[in-house]
Amino acid sequence: MENNPKNHTESQSRRENRADAYGSRYEDKNRRESTGRTVGKNGSAFLQKQAGSTRRQRRKHRNRKDAGRKAVLLCLAVFLILVIAVFAGMHFLGRSGQENVSGSQGILRLFSNSKITDAAPDVTIDLDSLYSPYAVLIDKNTGTVLGSKRSDEKIYPASMTKILSVWTAIENISDLDASVTMSADYYDALYAQNASQAGFEPGETTVIRDLLYGALLPSGAECCMQLAIEAAGSEEGLVELMNQKVEELGLTQSHFANCTGLHDDEQYTTTYEMALILQTALENETFRTVFTTHYHVMSATDVHPDGFTVWSTFFKNVTDEIVTGGEILGAKTGYTEEAGLCLATMAQVGEREYILVTAGWSSEDVGSYHILDAFTGYNLLGEALGLGDESTDAES
């Protein structure tokens, strides 16, 4: 069979068209694959870029959170500093602004202890039934006056002075357990004035801490004199420190001329200011321990090889310390002819502590009416607080 030229030409043409079509499809496939690879590479770079951006945003977010926390802590610190500054300023103003106690009786002394305390009970105690002509009853934590009787009038403190002298000595002696030898220089003067003594002899070597008990419990004048030497070099030096404390407390009706309480016209206070002195002294743990002790056994010495025992002049004169709703915890008595019978006490009644100071009882009757006044005052307080009707009288 012969080939038809025309047919041959058409077949060749169809083959060429198929080849062109196949080539076009091949080129399209290669183009798509190439494009896909390009897009894949660009997509990977894009994702990496996006991931880096996310990490940077997270770091910024963490930094902002850290900065926020630091700002909050800084604000809290500033707030606390401002609160402390305000309270300290109010305390200072309260102290320095006390010009006359008669104009400040019953005012809450919220910052007299340099700390915030809960409010004192809202009761008023009538102290007119007490024998003592001068008296004040305050809440120990706040200084709030709950009852008063001529409490802003001048009195002579007698041996209540030893509260201030012992407290001042404690805060100015670095080692209370050091040994000390009793000086012979002041004994003759004490003998001449018939001053009360604890029982230490001139030249006797003892421990300073024992002198604290000797001064407050049996009211030993020789202990006060030796404490003055140890704390300030002399009685005059200690008295200067005592009056500095009076100024620091903002007291304007008190001045001290000696450390023993022996009479001096230039040594005076009021029952109210004496109560504030005791209130602040009780913040010192060493003073509080001594003040609330009923009796103490002195260390053995060369003169007293077995030691000797001293009793509180208050607790040795009572059968017990129970009052309505509580008990008397500590006390310091005082007496001179000019001052009369004086007494500063601290008691717990209910859940709180209180201070009662009385002064000025003087009569031909030698009964311990200042001690009776203490029990009467706290019993009245307990009754006003609804803590019971029973009271315990003291034996004189």
Side-chain angles (χ1 to χ4, degrees):
M1 178 179 211
E2 293 183 358
N3 290 329
N4 188 334
K6 180 180 180 179
N7 291 338
H8 175 77
T9 302
E10 290 179 352
S11 297
Q12 184 176 1
S13 176
R14 284 196 295 270
R15 284 195 299 270
E16 290 175 356
N17 289 338
R18 282 197 300 270
D20 290 341
Y22 179 81
S24 297
R25 287 196 299 272
Y26 180 80
E27 290 176 1
D28 289 342
K29 179 180 178 182
N30 288 342
R31 191 181 302 112
R32 285 195 300 271
E33 289 178 355
S34 177
T35 302
R37 284 192 298 270
T38 303
V39 171
K41 291 179 181 179
N42 292 340
S44 176
F46 175 76
L47 291 175
Q48 290 175 359
K49 182 178 181 181
Q50 285 291 96
S53 176
T54 301
R55 285 193 295 271
R56 286 194 296 274
Q57 289 176 355
R58 288 176 179 172
R59 281 197 297 271
K60 290 181 180 179
H61 181 65
R62 284 196 299 269
N63 291 339
R64 284 196 296 269
K65 288 179 66 177
D66 291 341
R69 283 194 291 266
K70 291 178 181 178
V72 170
L73 292 175
L74 179 60
C75 290
L76 287 175
V78 172
F79 175 75
L80 289 175
I81 292 172
L82 289 175
V83 169
I84 293 171
V86 168
F87 286 157
M90 292 178 69
H91 171 61
F92 174 77
L93 291 175
R95 289 291 193 194
S96 62
Q98 184 184 10
E99 294 296 334
N100 191 315
V101 177
S102 62
S104 62
Q105 296 292 339
I107 296 177
L108 232 66
R109 297 176 59 87
L110 289 175
F111 304 99
S112 60
N113 286 330
S114 300
K115 60 184 178 182
I116 303 174
T117 58
D118 54 331
D122 185 17
V123 297
T124 300
I125 310 303
D126 185 357
L127 301 181
D128 287 343
S129 62
L130 302 188
Y131 290 100
S132 302
Y134 311 98
V136 71
L137 174 65
I138 70 170
D139 180 273
K140 174 185 163 292
N141 286 346
T142 64
T144 303
V145 175
L146 303 179
S148 65
K149 182 181 181 182
R150 300 171 63 184
S151 61
D152 61 339
E153 295 185 24
K154 176 181 176 179
I155 65 165
Y156 296 119
S159 284
M160 291 192 300
T161 299
K162 294 181 174 75
I163 292 171
L164 179 58
S165 57
V166 169
W167 170 38
T168 305
I170 289 172
E171 296 198 338
N172 286 277
I173 296 175
S174 59
D175 185 4
L176 295 175
D177 295 310
S179 296
V180 60
T181 300
M182 305 297 289
S183 172
D185 295 342
Y186 45 77
Y187 274 86
D188 288 342
L190 297 180
Y191 294 146
Q193 297 177 82
N194 196 29
S196 58
Q197 296 188 31
F200 290 104
E201 298 293 335
E204 183 173 1
T205 299
T206 186
V207 178
I208 294 176
R209 192 177 298 275
D210 282 345
L211 299 180
L212 307 177
Y213 291 93
L216 282 182
L217 303 189
S219 205
E222 84 277 28
C223 298
C224 291
M225 295 297 291
Q226 192 62 47
L227 285 171
I229 293 173
E230 301 304 318
S234 66
E235 182 181 20
E236 292 76 13
L238 183 62
V239 169
E240 183 178 351
L241 294 176
M242 290 163 62
N243 284 315
Q244 286 179 12
K245 282 196 172 293
V246 167
E247 293 179 4
E248 291 170 2
L249 292 175
L251 308 182
T252 60
Q253 295 176 280
S254 298
H255 182 268
F256 292 86
N258 62 59
C259 67
T260 60
L262 291 168
H263 181 72
D264 190 305
D265 287 342
E266 295 304 312
Q267 181 146 292
Y268 53 84
T269 185
T270 68
T271 54
Y272 177 64
E273 293 197 347
M274 193 72 239
L276 296 182
I277 291 172
L278 177 56
Q279 176 197 23
T280 312
L282 285 167
E283 294 178 10
N284 182 291
E285 289 301 321
T286 299
F287 178 90
R288 182 186 173 99
T289 297
V290 178
F291 185 78
T292 55
T293 297
H294 291 199
Y295 68 92
H296 177 73
V297 180
M298 299 296 186
S299 305
T301 69
D302 50 344
V303 178
H304 298 94
D306 297 324
F308 63 96
T309 301
V310 293
W311 276 85
S312 161
T313 54
F314 175 84
F315 289 110
K316 75 176 183 180
N317 286 309
V318 301
T319 54
D320 59 53
E321 60 275 10
I322 302 302
V323 296
T324 301
E327 62 179 324
I328 297 177
L329 301 177
K332 182 68 198 81
T333 60
Y335 174 78
T336 64
E337 184 176 348
E338 296 83 0
L341 291 168
C342 306
L343 179 60
T345 58
M346 186 261 287
Q348 179 173 336
V349 181
E351 298 299 321
R352 301 179 69 85
E353 292 179 345
Y354 302 88
I355 291 172
L356 175 64
V357 177
T358 61
W361 172 253
S362 181
S363 172
E364 294 179 359
D365 188 343
V366 295
S368 300
Y369 290 103
H370 56 328
I371 293 178
L372 292 175
D373 280 347
F375 283 88
T376 299
Y378 290 123
N379 285 333
L380 289 172
L381 174 62
E383 293 166 6
L385 295 174
L387 299 177
D389 297 324
E390 297 182 0
S391 62
T392 301
D393 293 331
E395 283 187 4
S396 60

